[in-house]
PDB file of all heavy atoms in Angstrom:
ATOM      1  N   ARG A   1     101.781  61.589  71.431  1.00  0.00           N
ATOM      2  CA  ARG A   1     101.844  60.237  71.989  1.00  0.00           C
ATOM      3  C   ARG A   1     100.759  59.958  73.026  1.00  0.00           C
ATOM      4  O   ARG A   1     100.801  58.938  73.695  1.00  0.00           O
ATOM      5  CB  ARG A   1     103.212  59.993  72.622  1.00  0.00           C
ATOM      6  CG  ARG A   1     104.388  60.128  71.669  1.00  0.00           C
ATOM      7  CD  ARG A   1     104.261  59.183  70.486  1.00  0.00           C
ATOM      8  NE  ARG A   1     105.479  59.197  69.660  1.00  0.00           N
ATOM      9  CZ  ARG A   1     105.558  58.642  68.473  1.00  0.00           C
ATOM     10  NH1 ARG A   1     104.489  58.034  67.953  1.00  0.00           N
ATOM     11  NH2 ARG A   1     106.677  58.693  67.780  1.00  0.00           N
ATOM     12  N   GLY A   2      99.795  60.877  73.176  1.00  0.00           N
ATOM     13  CA  GLY A   2      98.727  60.641  74.140  1.00  0.00           C
ATOM     14  C   GLY A   2      99.219  60.790  75.567  1.00  0.00           C
ATOM     15  O   GLY A   2     100.292  61.351  75.830  1.00  0.00           O
ATOM     16  N   LEU A   3      98.442  60.250  76.515  1.00  0.00           N
ATOM     17  CA  LEU A   3      98.787  60.357  77.928  1.00  0.00           C
ATOM     18  C   LEU A   3      98.406  59.071  78.640  1.00  0.00           C
ATOM     19  O   LEU A   3      97.222  58.760  78.809  1.00  0.00           O
ATOM     20  CB  LEU A   3      98.059  61.554  78.562  1.00  0.00           C
ATOM     21  CG  LEU A   3      98.322  61.800  80.044  1.00  0.00           C
ATOM     22  CD1 LEU A   3      99.793  62.112  80.293  1.00  0.00           C
ATOM     23  CD2 LEU A   3      97.449  62.941  80.561  1.00  0.00           C
ATOM     24  N   LEU A   4      99.395  58.281  78.997  1.00  0.00           N
ATOM     25  CA  LEU A   4      99.206  57.054  79.768  1.00  0.00           C
ATOM     26  C   LEU A   4      98.176  56.112  79.135  1.00  0.00           C
ATOM     27  O   LEU A   4      97.375  55.483  79.834  1.00  0.00           O
ATOM     28  CB  LEU A   4      98.793  57.396  81.211  1.00  0.00           C
ATOM     29  CG  LEU A   4      99.844  58.147  82.043  1.00  0.00           C
ATOM     30  CD1 LEU A   4      99.270  58.577  83.376  1.00  0.00           C
ATOM     31  CD2 LEU A   4     101.080  57.265  82.260  1.00  0.00           C
ATOM     32  N   ASP A   5      98.185  56.061  77.810  1.00  0.00           N
ATOM     33  CA  ASP A   5      97.277  55.189  77.057  1.00  0.00           C
ATOM     34  C   ASP A   5      95.807  55.474  77.335  1.00  0.00           C
ATOM     35  O   ASP A   5      94.947  54.587  77.258  1.00  0.00           O
ATOM     36  CB  ASP A   5      97.563  53.710  77.354  1.00  0.00           C
ATOM     37  CG  ASP A   5      98.953  53.292  76.885  1.00  0.00           C
ATOM     38  OD1 ASP A   5      99.360  53.732  75.797  1.00  0.00           O
ATOM     39  OD2 ASP A   5      99.616  52.536  77.625  1.00  0.00           O
ATOM     40  N   ALA A   6      95.491  56.724  77.653  1.00  0.00           N
ATOM     41  CA  ALA A   6      94.110  57.088  77.978  1.00  0.00           C
ATOM     42  C   ALA A   6      93.230  57.101  76.738  1.00  0.00           C
ATOM     43  O   ALA A   6      93.659  57.517  75.652  1.00  0.00           O
ATOM     44  CB  ALA A   6      94.071  58.472  78.628  1.00  0.00           C
ATOM     45  N   ASP A   7      91.986  56.660  76.911  1.00  0.00           N
ATOM     46  CA  ASP A   7      90.973  56.862  75.879  1.00  0.00           C
ATOM     47  C   ASP A   7      90.467  58.295  75.914  1.00  0.00           C
ATOM     48  O   ASP A   7      90.048  58.851  74.895  1.00  0.00           O
ATOM     49  CB  ASP A   7      89.800  55.905  76.096  1.00  0.00           C
ATOM     50  CG  ASP A   7      90.215  54.456  75.936  1.00  0.00           C
ATOM     51  OD1 ASP A   7      90.787  54.116  74.875  1.00  0.00           O
ATOM     52  OD2 ASP A   7      89.979  53.658  76.867  1.00  0.00           O
ATOM     53  N   VAL A   8      90.491  58.891  77.103  1.00  0.00           N
ATOM     54  CA  VAL A   8      90.051  60.271  77.272  1.00  0.00           C
ATOM     55  C   VAL A   8      90.667  60.804  78.561  1.00  0.00           C
ATOM     56  O   VAL A   8      90.922  60.047  79.502  1.00  0.00           O
ATOM     57  CB  VAL A   8      88.504  60.362  77.312  1.00  0.00           C
ATOM     58  CG1 VAL A   8      87.925  59.590  78.489  1.00  0.00           C
ATOM     59  CG2 VAL A   8      88.015  61.808  77.344  1.00  0.00           C
ATOM     60  N   VAL A   9      90.931  62.112  78.587  1.00  0.00           N
ATOM     61  CA  VAL A   9      91.457  62.781  79.776  1.00  0.00           C
ATOM     62  C   VAL A   9      90.356  63.659  80.356  1.00  0.00           C
ATOM     63  O   VAL A   9      89.639  64.352  79.615  1.00  0.00           O
ATOM     64  CB  VAL A   9      92.692  63.633  79.440  1.00  0.00           C
ATOM     65  CG1 VAL A   9      93.176  64.417  80.660  1.00  0.00           C
ATOM     66  CG2 VAL A   9      93.805  62.738  78.898  1.00  0.00           C
ATOM     67  N   PHE A  10      90.219  63.637  81.677  1.00  0.00           N
ATOM     68  CA  PHE A  10      89.210  64.445  82.361  1.00  0.00           C
ATOM     69  C   PHE A  10      89.948  65.451  83.244  1.00  0.00           C
ATOM     70  O   PHE A  10      90.332  65.154  84.369  1.00  0.00           O
ATOM     71  CB  PHE A  10      88.313  63.556  83.219  1.00  0.00           C
ATOM     72  CG  PHE A  10      86.978  64.149  83.580  1.00  0.00           C
ATOM     73  CD1 PHE A  10      85.810  63.406  83.420  1.00  0.00           C
ATOM     74  CD2 PHE A  10      86.874  65.435  84.097  1.00  0.00           C
ATOM     75  CE1 PHE A  10      84.569  63.933  83.744  1.00  0.00           C
ATOM     76  CE2 PHE A  10      85.643  65.976  84.422  1.00  0.00           C
ATOM     77  CZ  PHE A  10      84.483  65.227  84.256  1.00  0.00           C
ATOM     78  N   PRO A  11      90.202  66.681  82.732  1.00  0.00           N
ATOM     79  CA  PRO A  11      90.860  67.689  83.571  1.00  0.00           C
ATOM     80  C   PRO A  11      89.876  68.224  84.611  1.00  0.00           C
ATOM     81  O   PRO A  11      88.776  68.651  84.272  1.00  0.00           O
ATOM     82  CB  PRO A  11      91.269  68.777  82.577  1.00  0.00           C
ATOM     83  CG  PRO A  11      90.384  68.593  81.398  1.00  0.00           C
ATOM     84  CD  PRO A  11      89.909  67.179  81.382  1.00  0.00           C
ATOM     85  N   VAL A  12      90.274  68.167  85.873  1.00  0.00           N
ATOM     86  CA  VAL A  12      89.443  68.714  86.947  1.00  0.00           C
ATOM     87  C   VAL A  12      90.283  69.777  87.635  1.00  0.00           C
ATOM     88  O   VAL A  12      90.633  69.680  88.814  1.00  0.00           O
ATOM     89  CB  VAL A  12      88.999  67.613  87.929  1.00  0.00           C
ATOM     90  CG1 VAL A  12      87.853  68.123  88.786  1.00  0.00           C
ATOM     91  CG2 VAL A  12      88.567  66.356  87.190  1.00  0.00           C
ATOM     92  N   LEU A  13      90.642  70.800  86.882  1.00  0.00           N
ATOM     93  CA  LEU A  13      91.563  71.848  87.304  1.00  0.00           C
ATOM     94  C   LEU A  13      90.816  73.178  87.327  1.00  0.00           C
ATOM     95  O   LEU A  13      89.994  73.452  86.455  1.00  0.00           O
ATOM     96  CB  LEU A  13      92.747  71.923  86.350  1.00  0.00           C
ATOM     97  CG  LEU A  13      93.514  70.611  86.160  1.00  0.00           C
ATOM     98  CD1 LEU A  13      94.421  70.696  84.951  1.00  0.00           C
ATOM     99  CD2 LEU A  13      94.309  70.269  87.423  1.00  0.00           C
ATOM    100  N   HIS A  14      91.116  73.993  88.312  1.00  0.00           N
ATOM    101  CA  HIS A  14      90.422  75.265  88.469  1.00  0.00           C
ATOM    102  C   HIS A  14      91.426  76.418  88.421  1.00  0.00           C
ATOM    103  O   HIS A  14      92.540  76.302  88.926  1.00  0.00           O
ATOM    104  CB  HIS A  14      89.666  75.309  89.795  1.00  0.00           C
ATOM    105  CG  HIS A  14      88.807  74.102  90.048  1.00  0.00           C
ATOM    106  ND1 HIS A  14      87.937  73.604  89.097  1.00  0.00           N
ATOM    107  CD2 HIS A  14      88.672  73.305  91.139  1.00  0.00           C
ATOM    108  CE1 HIS A  14      87.301  72.551  89.602  1.00  0.00           C
ATOM    109  NE2 HIS A  14      87.737  72.352  90.830  1.00  0.00           N
ATOM    110  N   GLY A  15      90.997  77.531  87.822  1.00  0.00           N
ATOM    111  CA  GLY A  15      91.828  78.717  87.823  1.00  0.00           C
ATOM    112  C   GLY A  15      92.899  78.709  86.749  1.00  0.00           C
ATOM    113  O   GLY A  15      92.892  77.887  85.825  1.00  0.00           O
ATOM    114  N   PRO A  16      93.878  79.634  86.847  1.00  0.00           N
ATOM    115  CA  PRO A  16      94.956  79.721  85.858  1.00  0.00           C
ATOM    116  C   PRO A  16      95.729  78.408  85.750  1.00  0.00           C
ATOM    117  O   PRO A  16      95.854  77.656  86.711  1.00  0.00           O
ATOM    118  CB  PRO A  16      95.852  80.839  86.422  1.00  0.00           C
ATOM    119  CG  PRO A  16      94.942  81.655  87.281  1.00  0.00           C
ATOM    120  CD  PRO A  16      93.966  80.691  87.874  1.00  0.00           C
ATOM    121  N   PHE A  17      96.229  78.133  84.549  1.00  0.00           N
ATOM    122  CA  PHE A  17      96.973  76.917  84.218  1.00  0.00           C
ATOM    123  C   PHE A  17      96.097  75.670  84.312  1.00  0.00           C
ATOM    124  O   PHE A  17      96.619  74.556  84.407  1.00  0.00           O
ATOM    125  CB  PHE A  17      98.213  76.761  85.123  1.00  0.00           C
ATOM    126  CG  PHE A  17      99.059  77.984  85.217  1.00  0.00           C
ATOM    127  CD1 PHE A  17      99.069  78.755  86.369  1.00  0.00           C
ATOM    128  CD2 PHE A  17      99.830  78.397  84.147  1.00  0.00           C
ATOM    129  CE1 PHE A  17      99.839  79.909  86.458  1.00  0.00           C
ATOM    130  CE2 PHE A  17     100.604  79.539  84.221  1.00  0.00           C
ATOM    131  CZ  PHE A  17     100.606  80.297  85.376  1.00  0.00           C
ATOM    132  N   GLY A  18      94.775  75.855  84.282  1.00  0.00           N
ATOM    133  CA  GLY A  18      93.895  74.704  84.361  1.00  0.00           C
ATOM    134  C   GLY A  18      92.652  74.835  83.520  1.00  0.00           C
ATOM    135  O   GLY A  18      92.329  73.952  82.737  1.00  0.00           O
ATOM    136  N   GLU A  19      91.952  75.965  83.675  1.00  0.00           N
ATOM    137  CA  GLU A  19      90.726  76.153  82.900  1.00  0.00           C
ATOM    138  C   GLU A  19      90.812  77.345  81.961  1.00  0.00           C
ATOM    139  O   GLU A  19      89.802  77.809  81.443  1.00  0.00           O
ATOM    140  CB  GLU A  19      89.517  76.314  83.839  1.00  0.00           C
ATOM    141  CG  GLU A  19      89.577  77.497  84.789  1.00  0.00           C
ATOM    142  CD  GLU A  19      88.365  77.577  85.697  1.00  0.00           C
ATOM    143  OE1 GLU A  19      87.239  77.632  85.165  1.00  0.00           O
ATOM    144  OE2 GLU A  19      88.538  77.588  86.932  1.00  0.00           O
ATOM    145  N   ASP A  20      92.021  77.837  81.720  1.00  0.00           N
ATOM    146  CA  ASP A  20      92.199  79.041  80.906  1.00  0.00           C
ATOM    147  C   ASP A  20      92.703  78.755  79.502  1.00  0.00           C
ATOM    148  O   ASP A  20      93.083  79.663  78.777  1.00  0.00           O
ATOM    149  CB  ASP A  20      93.157  80.004  81.604  1.00  0.00           C
ATOM    150  CG  ASP A  20      94.526  79.395  81.879  1.00  0.00           C
ATOM    151  OD1 ASP A  20      94.714  78.193  81.580  1.00  0.00           O
ATOM    152  OD2 ASP A  20      95.410  80.112  82.391  1.00  0.00           O
ATOM    153  N   GLY A  21      92.714  77.477  79.104  1.00  0.00           N
ATOM    154  CA  GLY A  21      93.168  77.124  77.762  1.00  0.00           C
ATOM    155  C   GLY A  21      94.579  76.577  77.718  1.00  0.00           C
ATOM    156  O   GLY A  21      94.981  76.001  76.697  1.00  0.00           O
ATOM    157  N   THR A  22      95.360  76.733  78.795  1.00  0.00           N
ATOM    158  CA  THR A  22      96.747  76.283  78.771  1.00  0.00           C
ATOM    159  C   THR A  22      96.842  74.755  78.771  1.00  0.00           C
ATOM    160  O   THR A  22      97.510  74.166  77.917  1.00  0.00           O
ATOM    161  CB  THR A  22      97.527  76.868  79.954  1.00  0.00           C
ATOM    162  OG1 THR A  22      96.802  76.619  81.165  1.00  0.00           O
ATOM    163  CG2 THR A  22      97.707  78.368  79.803  1.00  0.00           C
ATOM    164  N   VAL A  23      96.190  74.106  79.721  1.00  0.00           N
ATOM    165  CA  VAL A  23      96.197  72.644  79.748  1.00  0.00           C
ATOM    166  C   VAL A  23      95.486  72.086  78.527  1.00  0.00           C
ATOM    167  O   VAL A  23      95.905  71.063  77.956  1.00  0.00           O
ATOM    168  CB  VAL A  23      95.557  72.122  81.054  1.00  0.00           C
ATOM    169  CG1 VAL A  23      95.184  70.649  80.951  1.00  0.00           C
ATOM    170  CG2 VAL A  23      96.518  72.325  82.222  1.00  0.00           C
ATOM    171  N   GLN A  24      94.431  72.756  78.106  1.00  0.00           N
ATOM    172  CA  GLN A  24      93.707  72.303  76.909  1.00  0.00           C
ATOM    173  C   GLN A  24      94.624  72.309  75.685  1.00  0.00           C
ATOM    174  O   GLN A  24      94.590  71.377  74.859  1.00  0.00           O
ATOM    175  CB  GLN A  24      92.478  73.192  76.678  1.00  0.00           C
ATOM    176  CG  GLN A  24      91.365  73.026  77.691  1.00  0.00           C
ATOM    177  CD  GLN A  24      91.651  73.635  79.061  1.00  0.00           C
ATOM    178  OE1 GLN A  24      92.557  74.457  79.211  1.00  0.00           O
ATOM    179  NE2 GLN A  24      90.889  73.220  80.055  1.00  0.00           N
ATOM    180  N   GLY A  25      95.454  73.327  75.564  1.00  0.00           N
ATOM    181  CA  GLY A  25      96.405  73.362  74.458  1.00  0.00           C
ATOM    182  C   GLY A  25      97.423  72.240  74.540  1.00  0.00           C
ATOM    183  O   GLY A  25      97.793  71.642  73.514  1.00  0.00           O
ATOM    184  N   LEU A  26      97.874  71.945  75.746  1.00  0.00           N
ATOM    185  CA  LEU A  26      98.819  70.845  75.920  1.00  0.00           C
ATOM    186  C   LEU A  26      98.183  69.513  75.550  1.00  0.00           C
ATOM    187  O   LEU A  26      98.809  68.675  74.875  1.00  0.00           O
ATOM    188  CB  LEU A  26      99.304  70.813  77.371  1.00  0.00           C
ATOM    189  CG  LEU A  26     100.250  69.682  77.759  1.00  0.00           C
ATOM    190  CD1 LEU A  26     101.463  69.630  76.833  1.00  0.00           C
ATOM    191  CD2 LEU A  26     100.694  69.832  79.196  1.00  0.00           C
ATOM    192  N   LEU A  27      96.934  69.306  75.948  1.00  0.00           N
ATOM    193  CA  LEU A  27      96.248  68.061  75.606  1.00  0.00           C
ATOM    194  C   LEU A  27      96.016  67.952  74.101  1.00  0.00           C
ATOM    195  O   LEU A  27      96.050  66.853  73.534  1.00  0.00           O
ATOM    196  CB  LEU A  27      94.931  67.960  76.375  1.00  0.00           C
ATOM    197  CG  LEU A  27      95.087  67.840  77.901  1.00  0.00           C
ATOM    198  CD1 LEU A  27      93.723  67.940  78.586  1.00  0.00           C
ATOM    199  CD2 LEU A  27      95.800  66.546  78.291  1.00  0.00           C
ATOM    200  N   GLU A  28      95.810  69.094  73.439  1.00  0.00           N
ATOM    201  CA  GLU A  28      95.706  69.073  71.971  1.00  0.00           C
ATOM    202  C   GLU A  28      97.023  68.592  71.368  1.00  0.00           C
ATOM    203  O   GLU A  28      97.031  67.784  70.427  1.00  0.00           O
ATOM    204  CB  GLU A  28      95.378  70.477  71.450  1.00  0.00           C
ATOM    205  CG  GLU A  28      93.999  71.000  71.815  1.00  0.00           C
ATOM    206  CD  GLU A  28      92.913  70.482  70.904  1.00  0.00           C
ATOM    207  OE1 GLU A  28      93.220  69.831  69.885  1.00  0.00           O
ATOM    208  OE2 GLU A  28      91.726  70.725  71.222  1.00  0.00           O
ATOM    209  N   LEU A  29      98.145  69.072  71.896  1.00  0.00           N
ATOM    210  CA  LEU A  29      99.448  68.665  71.370  1.00  0.00           C
ATOM    211  C   LEU A  29      99.734  67.191  71.657  1.00  0.00           C
ATOM    212  O   LEU A  29     100.373  66.508  70.854  1.00  0.00           O
ATOM    213  CB  LEU A  29     100.550  69.538  71.974  1.00  0.00           C
ATOM    214  CG  LEU A  29     100.543  71.006  71.548  1.00  0.00           C
ATOM    215  CD1 LEU A  29     101.614  71.781  72.297  1.00  0.00           C
ATOM    216  CD2 LEU A  29     100.752  71.141  70.045  1.00  0.00           C
ATOM    217  N   LEU A  30      99.259  66.694  72.797  1.00  0.00           N
ATOM    218  CA  LEU A  30      99.417  65.268  73.100  1.00  0.00           C
ATOM    219  C   LEU A  30      98.538  64.412  72.201  1.00  0.00           C
ATOM    220  O   LEU A  30      98.765  63.214  72.063  1.00  0.00           O
ATOM    221  CB  LEU A  30      99.081  64.997  74.566  1.00  0.00           C
ATOM    222  CG  LEU A  30     100.015  65.617  75.606  1.00  0.00           C
ATOM    223  CD1 LEU A  30      99.510  65.315  77.012  1.00  0.00           C
ATOM    224  CD2 LEU A  30     101.441  65.099  75.434  1.00  0.00           C
ATOM    225  N   ASP A  31      97.514  65.036  71.599  1.00  0.00           N
ATOM    226  CA  ASP A  31      96.597  64.366  70.667  1.00  0.00           C
ATOM    227  C   ASP A  31      95.750  63.319  71.389  1.00  0.00           C
ATOM    228  O   ASP A  31      95.700  62.149  71.011  1.00  0.00           O
ATOM    229  CB  ASP A  31      97.359  63.720  69.505  1.00  0.00           C
ATOM    230  CG  ASP A  31      96.434  63.439  68.308  1.00  0.00           C
ATOM    231  OD1 ASP A  31      95.485  64.211  68.109  1.00  0.00           O
ATOM    232  OD2 ASP A  31      96.669  62.440  67.605  1.00  0.00           O
ATOM    233  N   VAL A  32      95.054  63.786  72.429  1.00  0.00           N
ATOM    234  CA  VAL A  32      94.205  62.902  73.216  1.00  0.00           C
ATOM    235  C   VAL A  32      92.857  63.595  73.450  1.00  0.00           C
ATOM    236  O   VAL A  32      92.817  64.808  73.650  1.00  0.00           O
ATOM    237  CB  VAL A  32      94.894  62.557  74.558  1.00  0.00           C
ATOM    238  CG1 VAL A  32      95.136  63.801  75.404  1.00  0.00           C
ATOM    239  CG2 VAL A  32      94.099  61.531  75.343  1.00  0.00           C
ATOM    240  N   PRO A  33      91.742  62.862  73.402  1.00  0.00           N
ATOM    241  CA  PRO A  33      90.449  63.473  73.724  1.00  0.00           C
ATOM    242  C   PRO A  33      90.443  63.965  75.172  1.00  0.00           C
ATOM    243  O   PRO A  33      91.055  63.340  76.052  1.00  0.00           O
ATOM    244  CB  PRO A  33      89.450  62.334  73.539  1.00  0.00           C
ATOM    245  CG  PRO A  33      90.148  61.316  72.703  1.00  0.00           C
ATOM    246  CD  PRO A  33      91.599  61.442  73.026  1.00  0.00           C
TER     247      PRO A  33
END
């Protein structure tokens, strides 16, 4: 269902749970660029 009607998400997260693939996997499941 995407995230807040975003055209694209810009993660600005550092370290574990941010740049290690975890958030990226969640964004893939949300189906949002």
Side-chain angles (χ1 to χ4, degrees):
R1 300 302 187 191
L3 180 62
L4 295 173
D5 296 320
D7 296 306
V8 62
V9 176
F10 201 132
V12 196
L13 305 165
H14 310 312
F17 311 107
E19 61 181 303
D20 58 357
T22 51
V23 164
Q24 290 74 17
L26 177 54
L27 295 172
E28 293 278 352
L29 292 176
L30 294 177
D31 199 32
V32 62

